[in-house]
Structures are given as structure tokens and as C-alpha cells.
Amino acid sequence: MADIITIAAARAHLRVGPEVSDAQMGDIIAAATDAVAGFMQRPITGEGGFADGEVPFGVIQAIKVMIVELYDNPGAPIVDEDVMRGLVGFHSRPSFA
């Protein structure tokens, strides 16, 4: 599986350098990706997900939004559900709750 967001891309998006370790960046990326997959109620890659290189732009942008929130507010990220729905709603599984 190819990285959806690389450590270098996340660093550039956050405008941070080596003061944030690769391990910390990797954890932030993984948490952001998991959060978006949870919101979408489906995996992003792998079985049931998108093929490598075919992750939609809106999903990638949603992961970047989560990366910023997890970096800026690690204890309590604030994400507007309407923003997430606007970015990934079409790719989410329907919820009948």
C-alpha cells in the first residue's frame, strides 16, 4: 500500500521541520487517516477501500484537515462535521441511524 500522505507532504502542509520527529509525524498521519476512515465508515485503502493512487482528492484533503487539527489540538481536535461531509460525503457509506 502506498502512503496516502507522506511524512514529507505532511511536514510541508504543516510547515514544520525536523523539530517534529518522523515517528510523531507518522502517528499524526495514521490517526488522521483512521479518523477520516471512521467518519466515512469504510476503509480508505485495502479491502473495501480505494486502489493505490486512486484515493479521491476530497478524501486526501479531509486527511490534511485532520492532520492540522491533530497537530494543533492533539488533546481535543475540533473538526466541523459539515466540512468533513463536504469533502468525503459522496465516498462515505450511508448511515441509517
Side-chain angles (χ1 to χ4, degrees):
M1 174 182 83
D3 291 334
I4 299 168
I5 305 285
T6 64
I7 289 174
R11 279 186 196 287
H13 187 69
L14 292 172
R15 297 182 181 155
V16 298
E19 69 274 9
V20 180
S21 72
D22 285 356
Q24 188 177 9
M25 287 302 304
D27 289 346
I28 291 170
I29 294 165
T33 302
D34 288 347
V36 172
F39 184 85
M40 291 172 40
Q41 299 179 8
R42 65 174 289 183
I44 295 176
T45 59
E47 187 176 336
F50 304 100
D52 284 349
E54 295 183 14
V55 177
F57 180 77
V59 174
I60 293 169
Q61 292 307 104
I63 295 170
K64 288 180 178 181
V65 166
M66 282 304 304
I67 286 170
V68 170
E69 282 302 318
L70 290 167
Y71 180 76
D72 287 346
N73 305 302
I78 303 166
V79 177
D80 186 326
E81 284 191 26
D82 290 334
V83 170
M84 284 299 225
R85 199 171 295 109
L87 291 168
V88 302
F90 178 74
H91 305 290
S92 298
R93 289 204 171 118
S95 175
F96 299 106

